[in-house]
Amino acid sequence: MNILATALGHVDYLVAVALFLIGAWILVTSGNLVKKVIGLNVMETSVFAFIVTTGMIDGGAPPLVVEGMEGPYASPLPHALVLTGIVVAVSITSLALVLILRVKSQFGSIELDEIVPTDEARGDADSDAVGGDDD
Amino acid sequence: MNARRRTARILAFALLAALAGPLIHGVLQLPAPGSADAPAHANVTANYVERGAESGGAENLVTGVLLNFRALDTFGEVIVIFTAWLAAAAVAGAVSETGRRAIPVSPVVDYVIRALGPFIAAFALFVIVNGHVLPGGGFQGGVVLGAMLILLSLVLGPAPVAGAFSARHWAWLRATGVLVFAATAVIGLALTGHLFGLPAEPVLRKSLMIVLELGIGIGGGAVLAGLFFAVSGVQRS
Amino acid sequence: MIDWPHWLPLLAVLPLVGGVLTPLLFHRLPNAACFWAASIAALTLAVAVALLVRLLASGGFGYAVGGWLPQYGIELRFDEIGALAVAAGFIALLSLVFSRHYVARAVEPDRAPLYYALVLINLGGLNGFLVTGDLFNLFVFMEIFSVSAYALVAMARAPIAALAALKYLLLGALSSLLVLFSVGVVFAMTGTLNIEDAAVLLDASSAMPAGLALAGLATGFAVKAALFPVHFWLPDAHAAAPAPVSAILSALVVKAGVVGLLRTLELFAGGDDLLQPLLTLIVWLGALGALGGALMALVQRDIKRMLAYSTVANIGYIFIGLGLATASAVSGAMVHSVNHAVMKSALFLAAGAIIHRTGLRNIDDLRGLGRRMPITAFGMAVALIALSGVPPAAGFVGKWQIALGALEAGQPWLVAVLVVAGIVVLAFGVRVINALYFRPPARVPVASAIEVPASMWLPVLLLAVASLALGLAGTPMLAFVGPAVQSVYGTIP
């Protein structure tokens, strides 16, 4: 009974944990690179939800100290952190998508099962211009 | 699904199930979310709520935290998003012709998006300059601005939108956030004796904050559009 | 001037702004961009040295960004761990100098300014990470150097590079996420983000959520440091990247994971019963990584993959030292972090010079190169010998201290691990040196190869000389990190 009450009180955190695990499942089991990135995004969202929740206050107002907004105010700090986190997540996602486009054009697929790195692919393409002077 | 894949799935399930226990157990012992006496509301937060509006210089406490108390984080954030564009431009390969063409849309959609463009831009500006009193600010407005540019690129094709400025001018626009922030940091050093400090004088502080928000917004919007251009192959560096 | 307090934030801000300006000012001017980037890196190095001088004169010091009290704003701190910024500046500067000719060939000319920008931003992120005293700021700087590192790996032309970078990105983003989640847990428990502040408040808190935060932070930083068994992203990424980038990644970026772990230990300094299992685990994983990495290095044919696996082995040594938690082992691990950075960057740059000139990266193909490229081969040979831990070179000091620590901690089996791994490292060193000097050339590019230009051999030579010199500076370096050992582990035997 006690556990149930605790769980109910922490239901916001539990939802974040569930989302985290779902995202991790997609990231780990999917062989499709785009789906992996989606899984990563689900995980990121779960962490953002978790952090925003830590600053929540029951019956509280958004942290705007203006006419008509009465305290208690939610903590502004987690909001600022999550805003930063979102910008970072956008950056990572965009770079991942650009990389996936390049993988697609080089290996013809974005399914990990179908991508077979050959020895040739491993070779350093610096070797396409060998020797010669530099100065 | 082949056998190897199935084994991998079973392993992953076992791993995540093992992870779920400690995670749930751990978060259940955290202070309950929403309770006013949680530590999250005590130390730093209490100070922000009590004095943040005056000392931070913004009625929207989140903006005060972003631009004033934790300015170095926000500076880092502006760097990260600029780096995202650098990275995309450095890595993006040649893209097939299809990426560069406008997607055929119905005349209705085309007309509506063209007509909405200026309003979206005005809304972005509103969100940016009111960031210190209302929810919003540089990043939020920048995203709206970027969304408008991407929407126009979808309808008109990326080339005409990207062609609005030369590649060099786009690069300067994308760096606006970083450069304005760096300039403000130095102004802060001159006025307050601390790098990233903002002066206590309210009018000056507020104007600096609005300039910062504008820089972040313009830079953010240009970077988002740049990411789209990099992926569609119209603009690489 | 050296006492000017604002040097500390500039350590990060200078290379970051310099990096952002690079593509703006030097659009399509790769040589000017290189010169600019090297100048900024040199200035950053000068700032780091000034900070070090002040640290030596008057101990650790802090800087309140924006003038706010530490808890309310962000506090930067310069301590013995942050002094790694000197090594970072030095290695980044030499890698940038090396890059001028290397990148002209390895990267399209249009994109070269972007390359230099990313290297500078990477340096700024690293420096910020080293000196911040705030948990969330740690995350922000970590993302700056991570995003730039993913992109730098992908800038190589080899088709595998994008895939290697993507693998690195997915693992890296996952580890960053674990760190961010843990920062959230710490905030929920303490209401503060300042590391010192949180360390005091965490002390009295309940065990379980703190354990969660500790596990998240430790796992996240272990991935960044490529500790066995979460090292598997490293060989591909470090082997595929352009050689100067490999040098920076192997020398500095993985060390950020080590520093992150040190900051984590600082945060949990009070919770002995939480830390003990973690430290034991780290010793075991470190031992497995040291042995496994060394053996994997031995069987590689590709010289850069060999060096990458050797990094896994050396990270193993460092974690053994950190996990043993005796004064000599920890100080040895800290000194080895710096020494390994110098030796490994010498090796990656030398390998890059060879690949640049001959296009060959298979160790057997390098036969007879010692006569054709004498300076590069000499630098590589010296660094390999130093790495294997022959006294009095740089590799010796750290390993000796860690072995001493193992004996002090009553775990003599670790000495056996260190000795075996050391012999394996010596074996692959001998294999490369044998190929370079004592075998006749077998490949045409070797027979016609000439020494690389001075901008490439000079960094190799300087780093090789430094790997010898640092070995002689072992005692003062161990004394220097002493206070950091104290502040991280408290009063340990």
Side-chain angles (χ1 to χ4, degrees):
Chain A
M1 207 51 219
N2 210 349
I3 294 179
L4 204 66
T6 321
L8 221 57
H10 288 72
V11 69
D12 316 60
Y13 287 162
L14 292 179
V15 170
V17 168
L19 265 180
F20 187 87
L21 293 171
I22 292 169
W25 171 256
I26 303 173
L27 177 65
V28 175
T29 60
S30 177
N32 182 307
L33 291 173
V34 173
K35 286 187 188 165
K36 276 187 188 292
V37 173
I38 292 173
L40 187 66
N41 271 283
V42 173
M43 291 181 82
E44 279 163 349
T45 309
S46 77
V47 173
F48 298 154
F50 170 74
I51 294 181
V52 160
T53 310
T54 62
M56 180 181 88
I57 207 160
D58 284 332
L64 299 171
V65 188
V66 290
E67 284 291 309
M69 285 283 184
E70 293 298 321
Y73 297 106
S75 173
L77 193 52
H79 291 87
L81 304 188
V82 166
L83 190 60
T84 306
I86 289 173
V87 170
V88 169
V90 168
S91 309
I92 301 251
T93 305
S94 71
L95 179 56
L97 292 178
V98 171
L99 287 173
I100 290 173
L101 276 175
R102 239 185 79 181
V103 168
K104 164 83 176 160
S105 76
Q106 275 157 354
F107 296 95
S109 172
I110 57 166
E111 292 286 342
L112 273 184
D113 294 352
E114 294 166 14
I115 297 171
V116 189
T118 55
D119 266 357
E120 200 183 335
R122 285 188 195 287
D124 200 322
D126 308 348
S127 55
D128 60 6
V130 166
D133 295 318
D134 293 280
D135 299 284
Chain B
M1 204 197 303
N2 57 31
R4 213 174 124 237
R5 197 68 180 278
R6 197 174 304 127
T7 328
R9 275 176 177 246
I10 293 169
L11 273 176
F13 188 81
L15 188 77
L16 291 180
L19 198 63
L23 269 177
I24 293 172
H25 188 56
V27 295
L28 283 184
Q29 292 187 17
L30 283 174
S35 65
D37 47 0
H41 297 287
N43 302 334
V44 184
T45 301
N47 185 288
Y48 285 159
V49 168
E50 214 169 295
R51 287 187 285 272
E54 295 133 60
S55 58
E59 289 85 342
N60 179 353
L61 296 177
V62 180
T63 303
V65 172
L66 278 171
L67 296 185
N68 208 342
F69 297 109
R70 300 185 66 88
L72 189 61
D73 273 351
T74 314
F75 176 71
E77 185 180 354
V78 179
I79 295 275
V80 169
I81 186 124
F82 184 80
T83 308
W85 169 72
L86 269 185
V91 172
V95 176
S96 61
E97 263 312 303
T98 47
R100 300 178 201 192
R101 278 200 303 267
I103 304 162
V105 289
S106 84
V108 180
V109 174
D110 186 300
Y111 182 80
V112 168
I113 287 176
R114 282 166 197 253
L116 273 180
F119 293 100
I120 301 177
F123 178 62
L125 195 68
F126 175 82
V127 171
I128 291 173
V129 297
N130 283 310
H132 55 282
V133 263
L134 297 175
F139 287 104
Q140 294 87 332
V143 169
V144 177
L145 202 63
M148 182 200 78
L149 292 171
I150 292 172
L151 208 56
L152 285 177
S153 306
L154 284 173
V155 177
L156 308 172
V161 181
F165 300 102
S166 72
R168 272 196 94 152
H169 290 149
W170 269 116
W172 279 97
L173 277 177
R174 285 176 194 123
T176 326
V178 178
L179 299 179
V180 169
F181 223 122
T184 321
V186 175
I187 294 173
L189 178 62
L191 294 178
T192 68
H194 296 277
L195 212 60
F196 290 101
L198 286 178
E201 204 279 306
V203 177
L204 186 57
R205 181 170 59 192
K206 198 141 277 182
S207 345
L208 273 177
M209 284 174 106
I210 290 179
V211 171
L212 261 179
E213 296 274 31
L214 274 173
I216 294 170
I218 293 169
V223 164
L224 283 183
L227 292 173
F228 183 80
F229 298 152
V231 172
S232 39
V234 283
Q235 203 177 47
R236 284 168 35 184
S237 56
Chain C
M1 265 319 258
I2 277 171
D3 278 339
W4 200 49
H6 309 291
W7 288 131
L8 189 47
L10 274 186
L11 190 62
V13 173
L14 183 69
L16 289 176
V17 175
V20 170
L21 283 173
T22 311
L24 307 180
L25 299 176
F26 305 102
H27 188 63
R28 283 163 217 256
L29 296 170
N31 279 332
C34 179
F35 183 74
W36 162 264
S39 315
I40 297 282
L43 277 177
T44 311
L45 175 60
V47 170
V49 170
L51 291 168
L52 179 65
V53 169
R54 187 172 161 197
L55 177 72
L56 287 171
S58 54
F61 52 94
Y63 183 83
V65 179
W68 301 104
L69 283 172
Q71 308 88 293
Y72 304 124
I74 290 171
E75 187 199 18
L76 303 180
R77 277 188 300 156
F78 196 76
D79 54 11
E80 288 78 12
I81 299 172
L84 192 59
V86 177
F90 182 63
I91 290 168
L93 171 63
L94 291 180
S95 299
L96 281 166
V97 171
F98 181 93
S99 294
R100 185 174 155 232
H101 287 116
Y102 188 89
V103 162
R105 207 175 273 164
V107 171
E108 288 167 47
D110 277 5
R111 300 186 185 200
L114 304 181
Y115 166 89
Y116 294 113
L118 287 167
V119 172
L120 280 181
I121 290 173
N122 190 270
L123 175 65
L126 273 171
N127 281 347
F129 184 87
L130 291 176
V131 300
T132 187
D134 185 279
L135 270 177
F136 189 76
N137 200 233
L138 199 70
F139 167 80
V140 171
F141 279 119
M142 182 168 80
E143 290 309 295
I144 294 177
F145 74 68
S146 298
V147 172
S148 49
Y150 309 145
L152 283 169
V153 170
M155 283 197 85
R157 279 190 187 170
I160 194 77
L163 196 59
L166 192 61
K167 207 160 128 186
Y168 181 20
L169 180 144
L170 289 173
L171 253 297
L174 186 62
S175 68
S176 304
L177 209 53
L178 288 175
V179 171
L180 183 62
F181 173 72
S182 310
V183 172
V185 172
V186 172
F187 176 73
M189 291 175 67
T190 65
T192 182
L193 291 167
N194 186 284
I195 295 179
E196 272 179 35
D197 216 19
V200 175
L201 291 167
L202 266 179
D203 207 7
S205 305
S206 62
M208 188 53 210
L212 201 61
L214 178 62
L217 288 170
T219 315
F221 290 128
V223 174
K224 296 275 183 210
L227 175 66
F228 178 87
V230 280
H231 67 285
F232 49 86
W233 57 269
L234 183 141
D236 279 347
H238 288 201
V245 173
S246 310
I248 292 174
L249 292 182
S250 252
L252 305 173
V253 175
V254 292
K255 300 297 161 33
V258 175
V259 171
L261 189 81
L262 287 172
R263 299 293 185 214
T264 309
L265 297 179
E266 242 173 285
L267 182 63
F268 287 88
D272 242 6
D273 38 337
L274 275 179
L275 280 184
Q276 216 47 55
L278 174 75
L279 293 176
T280 312
L281 182 68
I282 282 177
V283 171
W284 277 93
L285 295 180
L288 288 172
L291 281 177
L295 287 172
M296 285 302 287
L298 191 62
V299 300
Q300 298 303 315
R301 290 163 60 225
D302 181 310
I303 187 155
K304 281 180 73 185
R305 280 186 85 77
M306 181 197 90
L307 295 175
Y309 274 109
S310 146
T311 298
V312 175
N314 280 283
I315 288 294
Y317 299 144
I318 292 170
F319 275 86
I320 293 177
L322 296 183
L324 282 172
T326 71
S328 33
V330 176
S331 56
M334 287 179 181
V335 170
H336 195 62
S337 302
V338 178
N339 289 351
H340 171 255
V342 171
M343 297 183 287
K344 191 50 64 70
S345 48
L347 287 169
F348 265 120
L349 291 185
I354 290 171
I355 293 167
H356 176 80
R357 190 52 100 199
T358 64
L360 301 172
R361 42 192 300 156
N362 190 323
I363 296 169
D364 293 330
D365 289 342
L366 306 183
R367 277 178 277 182
L369 206 61
R371 214 157 297 146
R372 309 296 318 177
M373 297 173 68
I375 307 173
T376 306
F378 173 75
M380 181 167 249
V382 167
L384 275 171
I385 291 171
L387 188 68
S388 65
V390 177
F396 173 70
V397 188
K399 289 185 198 175
W400 176 256
Q401 289 291 319
I402 295 169
L404 270 184
L407 290 178
E408 283 169 16
Q411 308 210 41
W413 62 277
L414 280 171
V415 180
V417 169
L418 286 168
V419 170
V420 172
I423 291 171
V424 176
V425 174
L426 192 62
F428 70 66
V430 167
R431 183 171 152 228
V432 175
I433 293 170
N434 181 38
L436 285 174
Y437 283 106
F438 302 108
R439 307 290 293 277
R443 296 288 304 260
V444 179
V446 172
S448 61
I450 48 165
E451 187 54 80
V452 284
S455 73
M456 292 176 93
W457 63 250
L458 193 64
V460 174
L461 198 63
L462 280 175
L463 287 165
V465 170
S467 12
L468 287 181
L470 284 176
L472 301 175
T475 319
M477 281 172 78
L478 288 170
F480 173 72
V481 297
V485 177
Q486 290 290 319
S487 76
V488 172
Y489 288 81
T491 42
I492 52 173

